[in-house]
Amino acid sequence: MMTEARLDVDLNGVRFPNPVLAASGCFGSGREMAGVIDLAGLGGIVTKSVTWAPTRGLSTPRMAETPSGMLNAIGLQNPGVEEFRAKDGPFIESLGVPVVVSVAGTSVEEYSQVTLRVRDLPGVVAIEANISCPNVERRNQVFACHADQAAEVIGAMTRLTTVPVFAKLTADVTNIVGVAQACVRAGAHGLSLINTLLGMAIDVETFRPRLGAVTGGLSGPAIRPVAVRCVYQVAQALPETPIIGIGGVTRAEDAVELMVAGAWAVQVGTANFFNPGAVAEVAAGIGEFLTRKGLAGPTDLRGKVQLRRNVPEPAHRRG
Amino acid sequence: MIRARCEVLSNRRTGRYHSLTLVAPEIAEDAKPGQFIEVGVPEGRDILLRRPFSIHQASRRGGWAGTLEIVFDALGPGTAWLAEARSHDVLDVVGPLGRPFNDPGDLSTCLLVGGGYGAAPLYFLAEELRAKDKAVHMIVGARTAERVFKPLEGKRLASSLVFTTDDGTMGELGRVTDALPSVIKRTGAQVVYACGPNPMLRAVGEYCRDLEIPCQVAVEELMACGLGICWTCVVPFIALDGRGWWNVRACVEGPVLNAARIWWDRWLGASADDQTPPEGFTAAPEPQLAKPWPR
Ligand SMILES: Cc1cc2nc3c(=O)[nH]c(=O)nc-3n(C[C@H](O)[C@H](O)[C@H](O)COP(=O)(O)OP(=O)(O)OC[C@H]3O[C@@H](n4cnc5c(N)ncnc54)[C@H](O)[C@@H]3O)c2cc1C
Ligand SMILES: Cc1cc2nc3c(=O)[nH]c(=O)nc-3n(C[C@H](O)[C@H](O)[C@H](O)COP(=O)(O)O)c2cc1C
Ligand code: FES
């Protein structure tokens, strides 16, 4: 008889009941979904990114559907960390599902201040630093696009808390491994790969950009190959560092692909919008997949990509 | 709110529109006028997101008990696919979603203003209001006669009904807002409900605000989820005390909103940056950091 696979995962001390979490900005804090689905099947929830002050975000249109994906330009709308504590804090404490708080800012100081206000919330097992934000002190360069600026934020946050910090990186860089290594050296416990890819869509009838903010982040199945590549490259360079794979997961097979590339866990974002049960369904599907393959748990998938021998360095071969 | 697999009972043409009836007993049981459903598109296509549609009719009694009707215009890939749905096809539906139109309370004379397929939820509202012994008057407008939604049903439901078309092919030539002043005067409307294109809602809302008639509008904004988790569907909404504003989600705080509190210029204006706030509006002070920002 086949034994059933265990789904719980341990990311060097950060534990989740299964390897599938809801991605930041795609699940609220879970409060909105509590009446819609049974939250018990979730591996965890990453909250919508929280900033210091209430942030109203960008003007509409904030989304544009594109082939197998969508562009969004929300502009980090959130009520600010004080209201987040007051409204979502008690919910997170009572939830019984591990919560990762996503922290965003536009200066190192803001990331630090927000970290100080969320590090003590009961129920929070980790902090995710959304560093795909413009740095107002450095000509609005995006933190995650520069290894030194990314490391500065992560270093400041990890000095302020013993709660493990995951750095969420963007693939819009020439060398994601370099940024990943800098974050780990600065104290990041793990890495979340990847955030949305910067994109743009234009209405050809009116010649107007389809997003109010002109450009926005691409998500959904369209970006999955990019996510798999990033996870693979970073996992090869940093095999001891927990990696959470994110990008275009809609089914268990997609999650398995990211884990075989090197992810220790995954997050599901856009899929929640059209399938509110996506996170739990993907988790259950991974269980079935493991059982079918006779594997004991998600770690049996991690980084198990089978490279053929004598393959030339694949990174820059594009056709 | 629930997610259900719903069988298509019928899919018919009504003028320019498609009228789709679904077997959805649990959703129909809870549905109120102004609420909407999100219909899933099939897997394996390159479109992913559900499509939102107002509830035109939710039958709880009689031969149609447990059914739900939506009305739509086939404009793009999602609605074109839906237009092809046949009896016995099964659709993935989430609903009912959003806040419905409010009960008028003590006010007894109601005016319902619909544009295009926006008239669909108003017929549902008209039935509910009539059941509460309210006087119901309507203005239904559209670009052209074939886009005037179910004119006979409108006549059956309303004590008085004015049609307008942009090209004069039916009723009065012009827009619903051209008919609005005289209809309000004639009927003594105490409360106005509107659904239709956003610029129409704005014109109706601003006119009612000037006359201090309460006005509720059901807005449309692009929605990725309909569940309140993506923040794509926002409308700038002025605080109750007039001080400050916030982007509220049309899918949970709306789609029915108090027209007088929508900051229309910011929402629908050409450029969001150079607009002056509405009169009597003072921005709330921005909260300060615990300590000053380092330079
Ligand atoms: C609360 C609400 C109620 C609605 N009720 C009705 C109704 O009763 N009848 C009806 O015909 N239409 C209604 N709409 C508009 C309807 O949702 C769109 O026409 C439809 O989604 C278009 O999909 P598409 O694939 O055919 O077009 P596309 O233009 O290709 O759609 C691309 C994307 O934009 C979105 N979108 C396009 N137009 C609109 C719009 N006007 N409002 C919101 N999202 C849009 C789509 O959902 C999709 O995600 C409603 C919209 C909202 C928000
Ligand atoms: C509407 C929307 C809002 C998002 N908001 C955030 C956010 O606040 N913080 C963040 O770190 N990532 C945010 N993301 C990115 C997702 O967390 C995720 O990294 C990305 O969408 C890729 O995963 P997916 O393809 O499964 O959606 C957002 C994505 C979407 C679509
Ligand atoms: S449509 Fe997602 S929050 Fe309203």
Side-chain angles (χ1 to χ4, degrees):
Chain A
M1 207 191 89
M2 249 193 274
T3 45
E4 224 168 275
R6 288 187 53 157
L7 278 179
D8 54 317
V9 286
D10 182 341
L11 280 61
N12 288 352
V14 182
R15 295 190 184 81
F16 299 105
N18 73 57
V20 191
L21 286 69
S24 179
C26 303
F27 210 78
S29 65
R31 209 148 45 93
E32 290 82 356
M33 295 294 266
V36 185
I37 56 160
D38 181 7
L39 297 178
L42 275 56
I45 296 172
V46 187
T47 67
K48 177 149 186 60
S49 293
V50 57
T51 56
W52 176 261
T55 305
R56 295 190 184 101
L58 300 162
S59 299
T60 54
R62 283 181 172 187
M63 76 114 172
E65 210 177 4
T66 56
S68 299
M70 62 176 278
L71 289 166
N72 85 81
I74 310 294
L76 292 178
Q77 177 169 351
N78 79 93
V81 72
E82 287 315 318
E83 190 162 327
F84 172 79
R85 279 179 67 93
K87 287 242 175 86
D88 293 316
F91 172 81
I92 290 169
E93 182 172 7
S94 67
L95 190 58
V97 171
V99 170
V100 177
V101 176
S102 171
V103 170
T106 50
S107 67
V108 175
E109 176 67 11
E110 186 175 0
Y111 281 96
S112 308
Q113 295 278 352
V114 178
T115 301
L116 287 172
R117 297 300 287 150
V118 300
R119 61 178 181 181
D120 59 341
L121 284 174
V124 172
V125 297
I127 291 173
E128 187 176 83
N130 172 6
I131 52 174
S132 300
C133 301
N135 183 352
V136 291
E137 287 157 352
R138 294 274 207 96
R139 301 193 319 276
N140 287 326
Q141 294 174 6
V142 173
F143 288 98
C145 291
H146 303 273
D148 58 333
Q149 295 185 42
E152 201 189 339
V153 175
I154 300 301
M157 290 171 74
T158 52
R159 276 194 295 278
L160 292 172
T161 178
T162 53
V163 178
V165 173
F166 284 76
K168 184 167 181 179
L169 304 187
T170 172
D172 289 331
V173 290
T174 11
N175 177 12
I176 194 166
V177 173
V179 181
Q181 284 167 329
C183 288
V184 171
R185 271 199 300 274
H189 179 93
L191 301 161
S192 299
L193 309 172
I194 55 175
N195 212 319
T196 52
L197 297 172
L198 200 59
M200 178 169 174
I202 300 169
D203 182 331
V204 295
E205 293 301 322
T206 61
F207 293 8
R208 289 228 184 96
R210 285 169 60 196
L211 291 174
V214 182
T215 60
L218 182 63
S219 66
I223 71 166
R224 201 174 72 233
V226 180
V228 173
R229 182 268 296 178
C230 290
V231 168
Y232 168 74
Q233 288 180 326
V234 174
Q236 295 288 310
L238 295 165
E240 309 298 322
T241 304
I243 294 173
I244 305 180
I246 318 163
V249 175
T250 66
R251 310 166 298 158
E253 288 75 8
D254 306 340
V256 169
E257 186 182 13
L258 283 166
M259 291 197 277
V260 171
W264 301 38
V266 301
Q267 292 177 19
V268 175
T270 305
N272 293 297
F273 300 159
F274 54 90
N275 177 9
V279 176
E281 284 172 25
V282 170
I286 293 173
E288 286 162 24
F289 181 92
L290 293 168
T291 306
R292 174 161 68 79
K293 291 278 188 185
L295 301 172
T299 38
D300 290 348
L301 297 170
R302 187 200 304 159
K304 289 291 156 51
V305 54
Q306 297 291 310
L307 300 175
R308 263 176 272 143
R309 248 170 305 203
N310 304 326
V311 192
E313 167 56 38
H316 299 294
R317 292 175 59 94
R318 295 187 184 181
Chain B
M1 184 255 292
I2 63 140
R3 178 180 183 185
R5 304 194 64 78
C6 301
E7 192 184 327
V8 174
L9 198 62
S10 68
N11 193 359
R12 287 165 291 131
R13 291 295 292 249
T14 39
R16 247 319 280 246
Y17 305 108
H18 299 263
S19 153
L20 186 78
T21 305
L22 297 166
V23 182
E26 293 120 311
I27 300 175
E29 188 61 40
D30 283 351
K32 295 182 189 64
Q35 289 187 303
F36 64 100
I37 59 172
E38 285 269 4
V39 180
V41 294
E43 257 183 74
R45 304 198 146 215
D46 71 1
I47 54 174
L48 303 168
L49 303 172
R50 288 169 184 270
R51 268 43 182 173
F53 300 98
S54 307
I55 296 170
H56 165 50
Q57 210 55 262
S59 306
R60 304 182 190 103
R61 286 169 292 274
W64 298 98
T67 64
L68 202 68
E69 188 177 347
I70 58 170
V71 172
F72 61 93
D73 204 356
L75 296 167
T79 45
W81 167 76
L82 203 57
E84 297 298 314
R86 299 269 167 273
S87 304
H88 308 305
D89 284 357
V90 174
L91 300 178
D92 172 1
V93 179
V94 173
L97 298 164
R99 288 209 184 146
F101 289 107
N102 277 356
D103 188 283
D106 297 339
L107 306 175
S108 59
T109 309
C110 310
L111 174 61
L112 279 50
V113 185
Y117 60 74
L122 295 181
Y123 291 178
F124 185 14
L125 176 65
E127 280 195 347
E128 304 261 307
L129 292 172
R130 275 174 46 134
K132 291 174 182 157
D133 286 328
K134 305 291 178 188
V136 175
H137 303 276
M138 290 183 98
I139 306 174
V140 173
R143 286 211 292 278
T144 183
E146 61 166 359
R147 287 178 180 274
V148 174
F149 178 66
K150 289 195 187 171
L152 291 177
E153 186 158 341
K155 281 185 182 150
R156 178 177 69 80
L157 286 165
S159 320
S160 83
L161 174 65
V162 172
F163 293 114
T164 66
T165 45
D166 295 2
D167 61 0
T169 46
M170 181 169 178
E172 295 176 11
L173 173 75
R175 309 204 154 197
V176 292
T177 38
D178 296 326
L180 190 63
S182 62
V183 173
I184 288 180
K185 207 178 240 165
R186 169 170 57 78
T187 59
Q190 294 167 301
V191 52
V192 172
Y193 298 97
C195 185
N198 291 328
M200 179 204 109
L201 301 181
R202 173 190 196 154
V204 173
E206 288 178 343
Y207 187 77
C208 291
R209 189 186 59 202
D210 292 346
L211 293 183
E212 294 184 14
I213 298 176
C215 174
Q216 287 204 322
V217 294
V219 301
E220 260 183 29
E221 182 50 82
L222 296 187
M223 292 183 175
C225 74
L227 302 167
I229 55 174
C230 75
W231 276 265
T232 62
C233 61
V234 299
V235 177
F237 201 59
I238 298 160
L240 199 54
D241 60 3
R243 291 170 55 83
W245 62 280
W246 188 249
N247 281 318
V248 302
R249 289 162 297 180
C251 68
V252 288
E253 282 94 12
V256 176
L257 294 167
N258 177 349
R261 288 177 59 195
I262 295 173
W263 185 0
W264 296 101
D265 277 349
R266 187 171 180 97
W267 187 31
L268 303 180
S271 148
D273 298 321
D274 53 22
Q275 283 148 11
T276 40
E279 224 176 301
F281 173 101
T282 33
E286 296 289 341
Q288 295 296 304
L289 270 185
K291 53 182 184 148
W293 297 85
R295 282 295 129 214

